[in-house]
Amino acid sequence: APTYAVFLLALFGQGTAAGAFRGLDRVVLSHLHADRRARMYTVYTLVWAVGAVLTPQLVSVVLAIAEWRTLFLVVAVAFLPATLLAAKYDLPAIDAERSVSRSDLIALLRRPAVLGSCLGMVLTGALEGVLFTWLVYYAETFYPTVTANALLSVYLLAYIPARLGCATAIERVPHLSLLLAALVPAIPALAIAFSGVTGPVLFVTVFVAGAAISTGFPVLSAYAVESAPEYSGPLNAVTNGSTYVGLAAAPAVVGVLAEPYGIGLAIQVTVVALAIAFVLAIGGLWRWTGTAGVPQKT
């Protein structure tokens, strides 16, 4: 970009396009696979994790043989097969989908399952935002860049087996029970990972944290929509929006704390507090709804 303003405008365009896509993806899946909605949501995020792990390696390969601008062309071309495939098919019928007025949306957001899901999404997004933004920077304080990048790949790699297991468990285990079982181990793992340890202990604890955190988004997405499937569009919008609130806000908090307290302590305090808050929120939601499963009438 010739100027920073152009760069920001490009980011705005990218975010707008991504937002439109993310506003429709789970809505389509919800109607294509209404009988296995939760499982498909989880498998969908599993595929995302595969891309998240492989793309940093693609970056390394491209940069080894060409300049960095080439990378954007390669990524753009990679979207073409999916675009051509999507163009061959019509959208599924969404006759069961209901539009909402502002008053209906407010009433929907007051449902415990929806309100609890949005809060959980904020916390999940906050955890992911901190680690996506600061993990490599933290690791570079005692590792070379290549090793620091590998640590992020280890974190993302944990998403694959965790979400694969989640896709199997989500149809057998109540949603809130699954979330609690997954997220409780994240608390000690995050506390140890950012305590200053290095070597295998750091990589193992980051892997455990990644596996735990990866369950939050798909399970909560399914939980919210399953509570009111006729509103999958609005619910997908508010839960995704809640995630981005956490993604945007939490990394900034770490940046503010890092100045007086150092990056390690700033990350440790933030992510452990977020993980504890998530567990308490899910426990509170379970008590509020009276069930670990999806409440159908709330």
Side-chain angles (χ1 to χ4, degrees):
T3 67
Y4 192 64
V6 172
F7 175 68
L8 292 178
L9 185 63
L11 286 182
F12 180 80
Q14 178 193 23
T16 301
F21 175 78
R22 296 301 297 273
L24 292 172
D25 52 2
R26 284 173 180 76
V27 181
V28 173
L29 285 176
S30 182
H31 292 283
L32 283 174
H33 306 280
D35 56 336
R36 307 193 77 182
R37 185 179 293 110
R39 181 178 177 86
M40 290 308 301
Y41 278 17
T42 309
V43 171
Y44 179 56
T45 57
L46 166 63
V47 176
W48 173 90
V50 173
V53 172
L54 294 180
T55 302
Q57 312 314 314
L58 172 65
V59 172
S60 297
V61 171
V62 172
L63 293 182
I65 59 177
E67 66 169 3
W68 62 268
R69 293 177 181 86
T70 307
L71 175 65
F72 291 92
L73 294 176
V74 172
V75 173
V77 170
F79 276 94
L80 290 178
T83 303
L84 295 174
L85 184 64
K88 293 177 58 178
Y89 296 95
D90 295 326
L91 285 173
I94 56 173
D95 297 336
E97 187 77 22
R98 295 174 59 183
S99 60
V100 292
S101 64
R102 183 177 299 179
S103 59
D104 290 336
L105 181 60
I106 292 174
L108 188 64
L109 291 173
R110 287 174 177 167
R111 296 188 184 188
V114 176
L115 187 59
S117 295
C118 288
L119 175 58
M121 285 293 209
V122 171
L123 296 170
T124 296
L127 283 167
E128 291 189 326
V130 170
L131 292 166
F132 291 162
T133 304
W134 291 107
L135 181 58
V136 171
Y137 181 84
Y138 169 75
E140 283 180 332
T141 60
F142 39 80
Y143 282 129
T145 300
V146 173
T147 305
N149 287 337
L151 184 63
L152 178 60
S153 292
V154 167
Y155 171 79
L156 290 168
L157 183 65
Y159 277 46
I160 297 177
R163 285 181 170 172
L164 183 61
C166 185
T168 302
I170 199 167
E171 293 183 340
R172 297 174 173 83
V173 180
H175 290 60
L176 301 187
S177 298
L178 183 58
L179 285 172
L180 286 177
L183 263 295
V184 166
I187 298 173
L190 290 167
I192 295 171
F194 297 103
S195 65
V197 298
T198 58
V201 174
L202 174 61
F203 280 80
V204 169
T205 51
V206 165
F207 185 90
V208 171
I213 294 168
S214 71
T215 62
F217 185 89
V219 176
L220 283 170
S221 295
Y223 179 81
V225 173
E226 292 281 9
S227 70
E230 69 275 20
Y231 292 113
S232 65
L235 288 175
N236 184 57
V238 297
T239 51
N240 267 296
S242 298
T243 303
Y244 285 107
V245 170
L247 279 167
V253 172
V254 172
V256 171
L257 293 176
E259 183 69 23
Y261 301 111
I263 186 63
L265 183 59
I267 296 178
Q268 184 188 52
V269 169
T270 304
V271 294
V272 170
L274 289 169
I276 292 173
F278 185 94
V279 170
L280 292 176
I282 298 305
L285 180 58
W286 186 340
R287 182 173 181 179
W288 191 8
T289 59
T291 175
V294 179
Q296 298 303 315
K297 296 292 183 180
T298 53

